C-alpha cells in the first residue's frame, strides 16, 4: 500500500537534484515512490498530514558495539575526574559478556536498538568484539544478525589478557571461519596497545578472502598507519580519524574510503575532537556515527552526535545531518539509504520542529516525533490513531506501527 505524507514544511532529500523542498509531499511504499510539491501530490492509499513539520532521511548509524553485558559507569566517572582513557576497559566488558547468557545479550541489544529507533536511527551497524574467543565472537555476530543486516566481525578488538600469543592466528583462522556466516564486514582496532599495521593487514585480508568487506578503527589515540591501510585495502570506512597527518587527509580525499567520525567517544573520553572542517575542505566524505558501547561512548543518540559535530568539530548543521544520514549510508556502501528520492528505501523521520537545523539548535530535546522504516511508521506519540507532535495531532487514515527488525 502507498502512503502520502503531505504538508511537509521542510523536506531534506539529500538528493543533489531535489535538494531541500518547502511545502512538500512524499509518497512511499517500502521505497520512495514520488517526491515533490504538496499541491502536486498524486493520490495514495493512505494519507498523513504532518502540518508543517520537517521530514528527513532516517539516521544511518554505521558504527556501534551493542553486543555486550555489564556497566562501566565508574570508569566514566574516573575519566571525568581526570584519569586518562587508554582503551584497557574493553577487557572489563569482555569478562561480563562472556559470563552473560544469550538471552541476556539479546535483551540488551534489543533495548539499545529500540532506544536508537526512538531517536531516529533506521539502520544500525553492530559489531562483535567483546567475546574474544571463537565461541563468544560467534554468538555475538549471530545475535547481532537478529537485529540488523549490517553485522561486523571485530574479533580483532584487543588481544585477550588470558591468551595474547597467537591471537591473530586465531582471529584469521578458526574464529573467522565460525563468524563469517553471520557477518558482512570485518574490522580491526589498528592502534597502539591493540593491533599494529601488519597485524591489521593480516586480519582484514583474511576477512576479505572469506567474503567479508573491510572497515577499520583508525587513528583514534595516535597518528598511526590505520588510515593509510584503510585506503590501501579500499575499506568502506576509516573510523575515528582523530589524529591525522596531511598525507592521511590527502589519501582519504583521493579514495572511496569514508572518514567516520565518532564525537560521542571524544565527549566521553575528553579527547580532542576530530577536525571535520579540515576533512570536508579537502573533499573527504564524512560520516557521523554513535560508537555506542559501554566504555568510551555510551550513547545511542545520533541527534546528540549531530549537536557535538556542529559545536565542537566545525560542521554546519546541514553538513552534520548529511553525515548522519547519507554519510552513514556511504560508510556502509548502501546507495538505497540516507536519501529520499524515488527508489530509495522509505526510511524517514518526522521532526517535532520546522527544520533539520533544530537538531543542533535544540540539543538534548526529544525532537523525533515519528519514524518510518520501509514506509511503516513507528510512531513515538500515538493517541487514538493520531500521530502527535507539539503543534497538534496529525490524522492518518490508519496508524502505521511496527518494530525495528
Amino acid at each position: 500500500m502507498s502512503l502520502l505524507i503531505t504538508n511537509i514544511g521542510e523536506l531534506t532529500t539529500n538528493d543533489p537534484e531535489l535538494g531541500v523542498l518547502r511545502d512538500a509531499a512524499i509518497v512511499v511504499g517500502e521505497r520512495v515512490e514520488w517526491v515533490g510539491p504538496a499541491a502536486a501530490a498524486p493520490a495514495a492509499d493512505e494519507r498523513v498530514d504532518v502540518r508543517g513539520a520537517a521530514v528527513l532521511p532516517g539516521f544511518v548509524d554505521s558504527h556501534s558495539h551493542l553486543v555486550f553485558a555489564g556497566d562501566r559507569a565508574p570508569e566514566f566517572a574516573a575519566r571525568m575526574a581526570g584519569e586518562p582513557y587508554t582503551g584497557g576497559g574493553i577487557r572489563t566488558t569482555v569478562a561480563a559478556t562472556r559470563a552473560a547468557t544469550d538471552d541476556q545479550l539479546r535483551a540488551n541489544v534489543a533495548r539499545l536498538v529500540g532506544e536508537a529507533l526512538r531517536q531516529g536511527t533506521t539502520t544500525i551497524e553492530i559489531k562483535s568484539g567483546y567475546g574474544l574467543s571463537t565461541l563468544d565472537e560467534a554468538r555475538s555476530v549471530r545475535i547481532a544478525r537478529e537485529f540488523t543486516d549490517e553485522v561486523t566481525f571485530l574479533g580483532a578488538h584487543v588481544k585477550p589478557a588470558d591468551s595474547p600469543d597467537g591471537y591473530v592466528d586465531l582471529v584469521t583462522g578458526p574464529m573467522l571461519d565460525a563468524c563469517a556466516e553471520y557477518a558482512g564486514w570485518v574490522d580491526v582496532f589498528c592502534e597502539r596497545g591493540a593491533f599494529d599495521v601488519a597485524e591489521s593487514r593480516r586480519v582484514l585480508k583474511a576477512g576479505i578472502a572469506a567474503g567479508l568487506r573491510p572497515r577499520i578503527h583508525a587513528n583514534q589515540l595516535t597518528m598511526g598507519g590505520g588510515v593509510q591501510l584503510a585506503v590501501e585495502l579500499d575499506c568502506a570506512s576509516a573510523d575515528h580519524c582523530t589524529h591525522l597527518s596531511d598525507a592521511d587527509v590527502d589519501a582519504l580525499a583521493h579514495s572511496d574510503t569514508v572518514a567516520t567520525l565518532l564525537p560521542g567517544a571524544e565527549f566521553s573520553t575528553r579527547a580532542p575532537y576530530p577536525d571535520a572542517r579540515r576533512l570536508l575542505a579537502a573533499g573527504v566524505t564524512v560520516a557521523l556515527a554513535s560508537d555506542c558501547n559501554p566504555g568510551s561512548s555510551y550513547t545511542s543518540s545520533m541527534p546528540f552526535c549531530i549537536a557535538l559535530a556542529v559545536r565542537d568539530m566545525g560542521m554546519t548543521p546541514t553538513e552534520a545531518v548529511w553525515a548522519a544520514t547519507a554519510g552513514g549510508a556511504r560508510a556502509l556502501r548502501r546507495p538505497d539509504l540516507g536519501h529520499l528520492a524515488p527508489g530509495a528505501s522509505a526510511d524517514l523521520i518526522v521532526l517535532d520542529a520546522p527544520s533539520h537545523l533544530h537538531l543542533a539548535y535544540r540539543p538534548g530535546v526529544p525532537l523525533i516525533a515519528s519514524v518510518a522504516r520501509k514506509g511503516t511508521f513507528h510512531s513515538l506519540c500515538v493517541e487514538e490513531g493520531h500521530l502527535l507532535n507539539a503543534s497538534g495531532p496529525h490524522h492518518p487514515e490508519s496508524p502505521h506501527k511496527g518494530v525495528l527488525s
Side-chain angles (χ1 to χ4, degrees):
M1 297 181 68
S2 60
L3 172 68
L4 167 65
I5 305 169
T6 190
N7 199 12
I8 300 168
E10 176 195 86
L11 175 63
T12 299
T13 70
N14 285 343
D15 181 87
E17 295 183 6
L18 294 171
V20 176
L21 303 178
R22 311 288 177 183
D23 301 319
I26 183 170
V27 177
V28 300
E30 286 196 359
R31 295 187 175 274
V32 176
E33 299 176 2
W34 181 90
V35 179
D45 297 315
E46 300 183 359
R47 179 178 181 273
V48 173
D49 183 340
V50 297
R51 296 190 174 184
V55 172
L56 60 150
F59 299 128
V60 180
D61 187 350
S62 61
H63 184 127
S64 80
H65 306 251
L66 304 188
V67 187
F68 68 86
D71 180 279
R72 283 158 62 186
E75 178 187 318
F76 172 81
R79 287 199 303 272
M80 295 305 102
E83 293 187 15
Y85 173 72
T86 64
I90 292 171
R91 294 185 177 92
T92 302
T93 300
V94 169
T97 302
R98 288 177 173 180
T101 66
D102 286 9
D103 284 343
Q104 288 171 327
L105 295 177
R106 186 176 292 112
N108 195 48
V109 176
R111 174 180 66 86
L112 292 169
V113 167
E115 188 177 277
L117 176 65
R118 291 192 296 274
Q119 297 173 94
T121 296
T122 52
T123 299
I124 192 165
E125 179 260 17
I126 302 176
K127 303 179 191 296
S128 67
Y130 291 122
L132 307 189
S133 70
T134 298
L135 174 66
D136 290 298
E137 286 295 303
R139 72 169 178 153
S140 292
V141 292
R142 186 180 68 249
I143 289 169
R145 190 59 182 266
E146 296 174 17
F147 296 89
T148 183
D149 292 333
E150 302 298 341
V151 176
T152 298
F153 167 52
L154 182 61
H157 200 180
V158 295
K159 295 173 184 176
D162 54 357
S163 56
D165 295 336
Y167 186 67
V168 174
D169 293 333
L170 177 66
V171 169
T172 58
M175 189 183 290
L176 174 61
D177 292 341
C179 294
E181 175 184 355
Y182 304 100
W185 299 95
V186 61
D187 197 347
V188 60
F189 187 16
C190 183
E191 186 57 77
R192 179 187 61 202
F195 298 86
D196 63 27
V197 172
E199 293 170 326
S200 298
R201 184 181 286 106
R202 279 189 62 196
V203 169
L204 295 180
K205 282 192 169 184
I208 293 168
L212 305 182
R213 294 167 295 172
R215 50 201 321 109
I216 187 170
H217 285 59
N219 297 51
Q220 178 185 5
L221 305 176
T222 60
M223 196 178 293
V227 165
Q228 297 291 333
L229 180 61
V231 172
E232 172 193 330
L233 297 181
D234 189 31
C235 289
S237 66
D239 297 21
H240 287 288
C241 292
T242 308
H243 302 277
L244 299 178
S245 67
D246 290 343
D248 292 331
V249 175
D250 184 66
L252 288 167
H254 291 88
S255 76
D256 293 327
T257 299
V258 175
T260 300
L261 309 184
L262 311 171
E266 279 72 40
F267 175 86
S268 182
T269 62
R270 293 198 173 186
Y273 285 92
D275 187 348
R277 182 86 268 128
R278 178 188 180 199
L279 290 165
L280 292 167
V284 177
T285 301
V286 173
L288 288 176
S290 72
D291 192 18
C292 184
N293 73 82
S296 61
S297 183
Y298 202 8
T299 180
S300 58
S301 174
M302 292 292 279
F304 176 63
C305 293
I306 288 169
L308 289 179
V310 172
R311 171 62 179 80
D312 293 305
M313 288 166 44
M315 302 183 85
T316 68
T318 299
E319 289 169 340
V321 167
W322 190 95
T325 52
R330 292 198 185 184
L332 293 175
R333 295 191 171 170
R334 291 287 302 273
D336 58 321
L337 302 177
H339 63 107
L340 295 174
S345 183
D347 298 353
L348 58 87
I349 303 166
V350 180
L351 294 185
D352 185 9
S355 169
H356 71 277
L357 300 176
H358 283 235
L359 288 165
Y361 178 46
R362 303 197 67 205
V365 177
L367 295 180
I368 310 301
S370 55
V371 180
R373 186 172 183 270
K374 294 185 178 180
T376 298
F377 265 110
H378 305 256
S379 186
L380 307 184
C381 303
V382 177
E383 181 178 291
E384 296 180 353
H386 299 158
L387 289 174
L388 304 178
N389 71 9
S391 62
H394 306 312
H395 301 280
E397 294 178 7
S398 64
H400 282 56
K401 301 180 183 179
V403 296
L404 180 62
S405 61

